Amino acid sequence: MDAQHFERITAFIEARLTPIFDPANGDHGFGMDDTSRALRALRNAVAAASAVKGLAEQRATADAKLRSVIDQALEHNWDVLRGIARQWEDHEDFRKEFKRHAWDFDVEPVAAGAEG
């Protein structure tokens, strides 16, 4: 798993959330009502979970102990974003990779014609 996976899933989620925060659509996201607060909390959760570029970059040079911690952090953040993205699973821009578990990205794809 690399930072590009996080960039793609974050872009997908942000494309769903950004129109909601358009002032032309009313106070959604800007007011002090519970819906606005929930929308801001969701956007903050997405921003926090997607801020992993530095971790992903450090993983390649980390020792085994630190790599284990980095992997756990990446897996947790991916699961947060995956759960949010799956709310739009029926959207035409939804990618199959958004359903995958973090550990699925480390598996090498089976070569064409190979059994597996």
Side-chain angles (χ1 to χ4, degrees):
M1 170 172 291
D2 59 28
Q4 292 177 355
H5 292 104
F6 283 91
E7 290 170 5
R8 284 192 294 272
I9 198 168
T10 302
F12 173 79
I13 295 168
E14 282 294 330
R16 313 287 77 75
L17 295 179
T18 298
I20 297 169
F21 284 88
D22 184 344
N25 293 333
D27 287 342
H28 291 307
F30 300 105
M32 294 309 290
D33 58 290
D34 284 346
T35 300
S36 293
R37 291 174 185 186
L39 290 170
R40 287 192 304 271
L42 176 60
R43 184 168 249 180
N44 289 339
V46 170
S50 66
V52 298
K53 186 173 184 178
L55 281 176
E57 291 171 352
Q58 289 180 2
R59 186 183 185 281
T61 59
D63 63 30
K65 187 180 271 189
L66 182 56
R67 183 174 293 157
S68 173
V69 173
I70 290 171
D71 285 347
Q72 289 174 12
L74 291 174
E75 288 172 13
H76 169 75
N77 288 349
W78 178 259
D79 285 345
V80 168
L81 294 172
R82 184 171 63 100
I84 294 169
R86 289 194 70 178
Q87 300 306 308
W88 291 280
E89 195 169 345
D90 59 344
H91 192 278
E92 64 185 19
D93 294 336
F94 186 87
R95 295 178 171 201
K96 287 183 182 180
E97 76 179 83
F98 300 159
K99 293 172 105 174
R100 295 172 70 186
H101 292 278
W103 57 82
D104 291 336
F105 288 103
D106 294 332
V107 176
E108 291 297 321
V110 177
E115 293 185 35

